[in-house]
Structures are given as C-alpha cells and as structure tokens.
Amino acid sequence: MADRNLALELVRVTEAAAIAGGHWVGAGDKNRADGAAVDAMRSFLSTVDFNGTVVIGEGEKDEAPMLFNGEQVGSGAGPASDVAVDPIDGTRLTALGMNNALAVIAVADGGSMFDPSAVFYMDKLVVGPEAADMVDLRLPVKQNIHLVAKAKGVKPNQVTVCVLDRPRHQGLVEEIRATGARTRMILDGDVAGAIAACREGTGVDIMMGIGGTPEGIVTACAVKATGGVIQGRLAPTDEAEREKAAEAGLDVDRILTTDELVTSDNCFFAATGITDGDLLRGVRYRGRTITTQSIVMRSHSGTVRMVEAEHLARKWEKYERLNG
C-alpha cells in the first residue's frame, strides 16, 4: 500500500506541470504547452519515493509529447503502483486561454486500474454522494435528472448537467433541456467537470456524455475519495474498435462501476489548476512569485485537501517559455 505522504508529493508533481504548461496559456500552441508540462512532470516524478508504472499515458490520441504507457516513474521504492497521468487535461483550453485546464495525476495499487487500450471512449455518468446510490446509466436521462433532483431536495430546473460540447451530444442536450434542467457545456477537460459534479459549491450536479476512457479511470480515483460515483459504458467509434474490444474480452454493453474502473481502495488523485475553472484557480505569475491552487484526494481516508502554494519564480526559470 502506498504511503499516505505520497498525496502531498503528488501535488508537487502537478504544481510543476501546471507552472511549466501555464507559461503557454493563450499562446495558441497546445503541443508546446503539453511538452513543457510533460518535461516538468517527468522531472518531478523522478524525485518521488514510489514504484510507479504509467498504465494510462498521455498524448497518443493527438501525437503530442507524452509520458508513455509502461514508463517507470518514481524512485522505485515501495510497492508497485499504477499511475495515470495527464500533464494537461485540456491542451486546447490552455492554448486558447480558456477555463478548466488542469495538470492531473492519479495513483493506485499495482494492477488495479482498468485497461482502456481497446476502446478509447466511454459513455459516463458522474454524480456526488447524495445521489450515488440512486442513479443508473441504463435509465433514461430524464429519470436520472429527476432522481438527482430528489436526492438534492431541488426541482429538476435547478439541476445543472455538465456536458462536453460535441456534435455527438446534440440529442443528449435536447433530452436534458426537455426536463427543465440546465446544461453547462465545456470545450474539453471532462476530468474537471466530473469532479465538479461530486463537489459542493461548484454549480455542477451531474456530468453526462461520451468522453475518454482514460479520463474516466482518472476520475474514478478522485470520485472514490468524495463518496460520489462514476458509471461508464464503453463506446466504440467503429466496428474495428468493437472487434478489438471483443478480442480483449470486454463487453461493450456492460455498465462499469467505480470499483471496476479502479479496484483498489487506496487511490490518490492530485490536480493543479492551469487556467481558472469550476474546480480550481489557475496559475498566477506575479513577478517574484508564482501562486498555484491544487486539490489532492486519498480514497483510503476519504480525505480531500485544497492546497494553496506560493513559489519563488526564480526557482522555476528553466521552465519559462522562451520567445522565438
């Protein structure tokens, strides 16, 4: 079992990625932003005392720089751990200077994370602890919204559903709005949206729709610490991917629970804001200092910590964006 002190060590890793990637906010170059965050995350991971293997890497989908699947990270001390990384969840958000970009890492006991390699997308439903035992991805959208409203003691028109802004969600959005519920459309970054659905005071009650399977597993690590729930169903994009899932022994009609996405009850999740968002404030560069806001969770203890940090800017000069 990974040591509880690992939680704050992981915050150092996401802070580094956020500070490095944050220099590229609004610069219009998502690959350079991602590359800076990857380099910083890799560098700081090497200082952490744990024996990690990256099982969910970053960058394969858009040919960006990446921490690759199978890469060994950490000092090698302690028990084996599965690691999921996304140095920038929301590279496009970062490049465009838009909200909800995060640096993210999740760690769990070795062999406990679901292998998402066969199917890259899944249909997801995420809610907080109040409605965790009531919702079901197999139910109609209207029924799930009414169940969440009942659990929270509000009317359906007071429920807000976070949805990725994609053409594939046109029908889903119409169903949500037909109930009277509101939508909060996000361009990217469904990890932030999913966690916001599990946290009070974010203005988000549910997250619905199809997003990345790797992000679903990262979300499951965080959700376990909040008492909320994520349910997923694999969503192959074509017949070839459906056949690949069958070859891997996966049932694409099965509902995957939080505990199936990550079987371990000793999960760590850390994220640092790159740009402002529903969950966290973005990096601030203030001459001599840099300030960050992070969240760190541990499922074993059910602890969620908010971490405000001030960093001396001169210690981070090697991660600054170079002109030209």
Side-chain angles (χ1 to χ4, degrees), residues 39-279:
D39 289 346
M41 180 171 275
R42 180 179 277 120
S43 176
F44 272 71
L45 273 171
S46 69
T47 70
V48 179
D49 274 339
F50 79 123
N51 182 15
T53 301
V54 175
V55 298
I56 297 174
E58 185 272 344
E60 282 183 74
K61 187 172 66 169
D62 57 7
E63 298 181 355
M66 62 186 290
L67 278 148
F68 59 86
N69 289 358
E71 183 170 347
Q72 299 299 303
V73 293
S75 68
S81 301
D82 283 356
V83 182
V85 295
D86 201 343
I88 300 183
D89 178 40
T91 53
R92 182 163 52 150
L93 302 177
T94 301
L96 297 176
M98 300 181 72
N99 286 358
N100 281 324
L102 302 174
V104 171
I105 189 168
V107 175
D109 293 332
S112 65
M113 290 185 183
F114 179 81
D115 181 0
S117 59
V119 181
F120 195 84
Y121 289 98
M122 65 166 28
D123 194 8
K124 306 173 195 174
L125 171 64
V126 183
V127 297
E130 302 94 338
D133 295 329
M134 300 175 70
V135 297
D136 192 317
L137 188 57
R138 292 164 292 195
L139 295 175
V141 169
K142 178 179 179 179
Q143 191 170 346
N144 276 321
I145 289 173
H146 278 265
L147 287 169
V148 172
K150 181 178 179 181
K152 292 198 164 194
V154 299
K155 297 177 180 178
N157 63 7
Q158 294 173 298
V159 171
T160 298
V161 185
C162 182
V163 182
L164 276 170
D165 189 2
R166 299 288 187 274
R168 63 177 177 262
H169 288 149
Q170 181 179 348
L172 171 62
V173 169
E174 289 172 357
E175 287 187 73
I176 292 168
R177 291 173 178 167
T179 71
R182 297 169 289 191
T183 55
R184 180 170 299 182
M185 308 303 293
I186 57 173
L187 187 63
D188 285 304
D190 69 347
V191 172
I195 297 171
C198 296
R199 301 269 294 158
E200 292 184 9
T202 64
V204 175
D205 302 294
I206 316 172
M207 195 197 80
M208 290 181 172
I210 295 172
T213 305
E215 288 84 351
I217 296 156
V218 171
T219 297
C221 290
V223 163
K224 283 199 168 196
T226 68
V229 67
I230 175 172
Q231 295 178 10
R233 180 170 48 213
L234 297 174
T237 55
D238 54 32
E239 191 57 37
E241 202 170 73
R242 187 174 292 274
E243 290 175 4
K244 189 177 178 182
E247 290 170 4
L250 300 176
D251 180 356
V252 297
D253 296 317
R254 180 180 175 181
I255 301 300
L256 296 164
T257 66
T258 310
D259 287 334
E260 288 171 318
L261 291 170
V262 182
T263 59
S264 171
D265 192 39
N266 190 43
C267 303
F268 296 83
F269 172 90
T272 301
I274 297 174
T275 60
D276 292 345
D278 297 320
L279 191 64

Side-chain angles (χ1 to χ4, degrees), residues 277-295:
D278 297 320
L279 191 64
L280 295 167
R281 189 182 65 244
V283 182
R284 299 284 192 273
Y285 303 91
R286 293 172 171 162
R288 293 174 54 194
T289 62
I290 302 169
T291 60
T292 56
Q293 186 179 52
S294 305
I295 189 169

Side-chain angles (χ1 to χ4, degrees), residues 32 321-324:
R32 285 197 175 183
R321 173 184 169 191
L322 299 177
N323 292 324

